[in-house]
Amino acid sequence: MRKQNRELTYYIGATIDGFIAGPDDQVEDFPLDADLLDTITTEWPETIPTHLREPLGVADAPNRNYDALIMGRGTYDPGLKLGITSPYSHLKQYVVSTTLGADTDPDVTFVAEDPLAFVRDLKAQEGGGIWLCGGGKLAAALIDEIDQIIVKRYRVLIGGGIPMFDGPYKPTAFTLVDNRSLPSGASIQTYRKA
């Protein structure tokens, strides 16, 4: 998994209409069909949070695509509210936050300033892929450094909420390189920066 040029992949679940959560961070209405879950655990086992890896049978699964992840404070908060301070202990974790620090969890690195410069530096270091795991504001801030987008498309419309990209208007071309439809109706699209 070691690469000279690390890539940043925005690997995210979204509704048909492009939302990653409802207006109040709701995700309970997003159907996680068995075939989609099976695909995730088989192809992207490292994206399963540490506390769910054993129940889902991937406790010992090696990291296949990423050895690090970066997330925004809004993505980190739901686990934090449950007392989970290191949600992906099997990966190097970076959380963009101006209010949290190392006293929250020593296994998590908190990035307080300029996430774009931080990611550029991280990509220049030796290592595997970097997973941008959310959220929409951080994805918009990092658009210039996103090399690939993988969207797990849930078969539901919600009409409003947190968009995949929540930032200023900035057309950025990507090319569809894979489009899989699963029997349940869920799909997985992979885009590469054009």
Side-chain angles (χ1 to χ4, degrees):
M1 187 169 61
R2 292 285 178 221
K3 297 179 184 178
Q4 282 297 102
N5 298 315
R6 298 176 86 177
E7 292 191 341
L8 180 65
T9 299
Y10 189 25
Y11 170 85
I12 195 75
T15 62
I16 295 169
D17 48 351
F19 294 100
I20 60 175
D24 296 315
D25 296 320
Q26 308 97 312
V27 293
E28 58 274 0
D29 294 318
F30 294 13
L32 184 54
D33 297 301
D35 56 358
L36 179 57
L37 181 59
D38 183 57
T39 302
I40 294 166
T41 58
T42 302
E43 297 183 31
W44 297 280
E46 66 271 36
T47 65
I48 303 295
T50 303
H51 70 284
L52 296 175
R53 287 173 64 87
E54 187 171 334
L56 291 175
V58 295
D60 297 323
N63 297 339
R64 293 190 55 185
N65 304 282
Y66 316 113
D67 66 5
L69 72 82
I70 187 165
M71 69 177 91
R73 170 72 189 266
T75 302
Y76 183 70
D77 270 346
L80 188 59
K81 289 176 184 172
L82 297 173
I84 300 169
T85 59
S86 181
Y88 297 93
S89 61
H90 50 283
L91 297 170
K92 182 67 179 155
Q93 304 166 89
Y94 302 97
V95 175
V96 176
S97 174
T98 57
T99 57
L100 296 175
D103 58 328
T104 305
D105 193 296
D107 292 332
V108 178
T109 300
F110 294 90
V111 179
E113 295 180 17
D114 197 356
L116 187 60
F118 178 82
V119 166
R120 284 182 178 143
D121 181 61
L122 191 61
K123 287 175 71 174
Q125 298 172 20
E126 185 177 323
I130 305 162
W131 169 30
L132 169 56
C133 101
K137 285 184 174 62
L138 182 58
L142 296 177
I143 189 64
D144 290 339
E145 289 300 320
I146 295 174
D147 300 290
Q148 178 173 252
I149 300 170
I150 300 174
V151 183
K152 301 167 295 188
R153 190 77 61 185
Y154 301 111
R155 53 183 182 79
V156 66
L157 295 167
I158 62 172
I162 300 170
M164 283 178 53
F165 289 89
D166 188 4
Y169 180 75
K170 184 175 183 175
T172 306
F174 281 79
T175 301
L176 181 67
V177 296
D178 189 41
N179 188 11
R180 286 190 277 171
S181 295
L182 303 177
S184 64
S187 62
I188 302 170
Q189 288 96 30
T190 302
Y191 297 87
R192 299 280 308 167
K193 187 166 274 177

